[in-house]
């Protein structure tokens, strides 16, 4: 299916910018491609933007190498795809840039500078919102000498390969997603996690989404449940709901659905939250890791 959607396709200044010589190389993996020859610090002309947009729909994870760009440039590129979402944990915004969430395990004077355990459980970003995220961009600032990988699961493939009994069980069903689902558990492992104010809690009321969603641009179906935020299947008794979700979670992350990203200095990784779930594989506590994340608003899932 070709896309009918051209988010912010016009370049930001309205001027014609020179084309960059882009090469897109698919990974030997169920998702992902590397984009070479593109400087995200330069405004993209409309043809280049369309190629990147198409590649994002085709490969679901794009890795842009060696991007020496500023937060302003990350924000400008992200905005070409839609409005940006502000994370509820405003404590971890980059100073002066509310659109940028710092993902980091670094403590300064005993205080976390970022969300150190972001991605500890499989999830699709902001699935707990009425309008979950279209995609996220993560830009490496400081990387550990070992560990710190990010895993991506192809949820189209997970849907296509669903065993018949699971396909029948999810047909027409919806599930609840809640930001608070694992918050207390995460606070136990990461005591630096702030208590949420009443205002923050009000921003993350539980929502219900279809278990199988249709990608709004490609028309492909994908499973849309993840162990971090999905709490129950609507209309099923608790034990049946738990069993079904456990089976879906286990099936989604079978090794044949996964791409493992090993970060290189200045990588920018842009993934599609409508097609994927992801997981931070973990960083040894004594090593420093810092990345900047922007998150683009998507549609109400259907
Ligand atoms: C995230 O879930 O956005 C963070 C992923 C990572 O740190 O690898």
């Amino acid at each position: 299916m070709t896309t009918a959607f051209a988010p912010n396709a016009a370049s930001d200044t309205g001027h014609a910018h020179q084309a960059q010589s882009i090469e897109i190389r698919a990974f030997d993996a169920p998702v992902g491609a590397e984009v070479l020859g593109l400087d995200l610090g330069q405004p993209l002309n409309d043809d280049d933007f369309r190629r990147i947009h198409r590649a994002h729909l085709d490969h679901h994870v794009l890795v842009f190498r060696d991007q020496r760009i500023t937060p302003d440039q990350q924000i400008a590129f992200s905005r070409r795809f839609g409005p940006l979402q502000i994370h509820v944990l405003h404590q971890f915004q980059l100073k002066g840039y509310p659109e940028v969430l710092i993902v980091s395990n670094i403590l300064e004077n005993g205080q976390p500078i970022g969300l150190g355990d972001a991605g500890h459980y499989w999830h699709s970003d902001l699935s707990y919102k009425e309008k979950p995220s279209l995609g996220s961009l993560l830009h490496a600032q400081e990387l550990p000498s070992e560990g710190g990988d990010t895993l991506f699961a192809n949820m189209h493939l997970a849907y296509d390969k669903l065993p018949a009994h699971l396909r029948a069980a999810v047909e027409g069903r919806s599930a609840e997603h809640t930001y608070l689902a694992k918050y207390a558990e995460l606070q136990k492992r990461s005591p630096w996690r702030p208590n949420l104010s009443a205002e923050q809690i009000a921003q993350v009321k539980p929502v219900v989404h279809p278990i199988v969603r249709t990608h709004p641009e490609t028309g492909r179906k994908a499973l849309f449940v993840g162990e971090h935020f999905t709490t129950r299947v609507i209309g099923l008794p608790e034990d049946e709901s738990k069993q079904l979700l456990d089976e879906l979670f286990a099936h989604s992350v079978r090794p044949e659905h996964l791409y493992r990203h090993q970060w290189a200095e200045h990588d920018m990784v842009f993934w599609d939250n409508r097609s994927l779930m992801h997981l931070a594989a973990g960083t040894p506590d004594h090593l420093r890791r810092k990345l900047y994340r922007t998150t683009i608003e998507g549609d109400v899932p259907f």
Side-chain angles (χ1 to χ4, degrees):
M1 189 177 193
T2 49
T3 174
F5 175 72
N8 297 345
S11 56
D12 17 22
T13 62
H15 296 124
H17 298 291
Q18 210 167 9
Q20 302 190 53
S21 53
I22 307 174
E23 194 188 333
I24 294 163
R25 280 195 211 149
F27 293 137
D28 184 15
V31 291
E34 190 173 41
V35 182
L36 302 166
L38 184 65
D39 176 0
L40 295 178
Q42 301 298 320
L44 285 191
N45 75 15
D46 292 346
D47 283 344
D48 286 346
F49 174 79
R50 272 190 283 274
R51 281 194 69 193
I52 297 303
H53 181 210
R54 185 67 251 166
H56 190 245
L57 295 177
D58 291 343
H59 300 289
H60 318 301
V61 182
L62 296 181
V63 178
F64 303 90
R65 299 293 187 191
D66 200 28
Q67 298 298 318
R68 292 166 193 259
I69 63 168
T70 63
D72 279 316
Q73 289 167 324
Q74 177 170 350
I75 290 169
F77 176 66
S78 307
R79 279 214 179 110
R80 295 290 297 272
F81 293 85
L84 302 189
Q85 292 170 300
I86 311 288
H87 197 276
V88 63
L89 288 182
H90 54 75
Q91 292 89 339
F92 301 130
Q93 288 167 2
L94 180 64
K95 203 164 183 295
Y97 297 95
E99 304 87 348
V100 176
L101 175 75
I102 304 176
V103 173
S104 179
N105 64 352
I106 299 172
L107 298 177
E108 271 172 13
N109 304 320
Q111 296 300 315
I113 65 160
L115 187 55
D117 54 8
H120 180 72
Y121 298 101
W122 283 101
H123 67 288
S124 170
D125 284 333
L126 279 62
S127 76
Y128 51 84
K129 303 286 274 185
E130 291 285 345
K131 288 185 175 179
S133 162
L134 175 159
S136 304
L137 296 99
L138 202 53
H139 187 213
Q141 306 292 318
E142 196 174 337
L143 294 174
S145 51
E146 60 179 276
D149 299 351
T150 307
L151 274 69
F152 295 93
N154 183 334
M155 300 299 274
H156 295 302
L157 214 48
Y159 173 74
D160 293 345
K161 302 280 181 195
L162 266 183
H165 75 283
L166 287 181
R167 190 174 283 247
V170 298
E171 180 66 36
R173 293 228 174 251
S174 300
E176 185 181 75
H177 296 241
T178 314
Y179 180 68
L180 301 178
K182 297 241 189 276
Y183 204 87
E185 206 172 310
L186 284 168
Q187 262 186 327
K188 271 191 216 134
R189 354 176 16 261
S190 311
W192 49 261
R193 262 198 178 242
N195 290 325
L196 297 172
S197 66
E199 196 188 333
Q200 284 172 311
I201 292 173
Q203 282 176 38
V204 289
K205 297 211 176 81
V207 295
V208 171
H209 294 307
I211 292 180
V212 179
R213 74 179 291 187
T214 303
H215 193 291
E217 298 188 72
T218 64
R220 282 189 74 184
K221 291 193 168 171
L223 267 186
F224 193 60
V225 287
E227 63 175 346
H228 193 162
F229 302 123
T230 313
T231 45
R232 66 191 176 99
V233 177
I234 304 299
L236 286 187
E238 198 179 325
D239 55 341
E240 280 179 44
S241 162
K242 182 174 178 335
Q243 186 179 334
L244 177 53
L245 287 177
D246 285 349
E247 280 190 64
L248 293 173
F249 297 158
H251 167 79
S252 301
V253 300
R254 290 172 66 96
E256 62 269 28
H257 303 156
L258 304 186
Y259 161 64
R260 182 180 197 105
H261 184 66
Q262 293 178 302
W263 290 85
E265 296 295 323
H266 310 291
D267 273 355
M268 170 76 87
V269 176
F270 176 24
W271 65 87
D272 190 333
N273 283 304
R274 304 161 298 183
S275 303
L276 304 175
M277 280 198 305
H278 60 283
L279 175 84
T283 303
D285 284 342
H286 65 287
L287 297 176
R288 291 163 63 99
R289 181 176 188 264
K290 180 166 83 161
L291 305 100
Y292 289 166
R293 192 180 96 184
T294 40
T295 310
I296 304 157
E297 184 176 83
D299 303 274
V300 176
F302 58 90

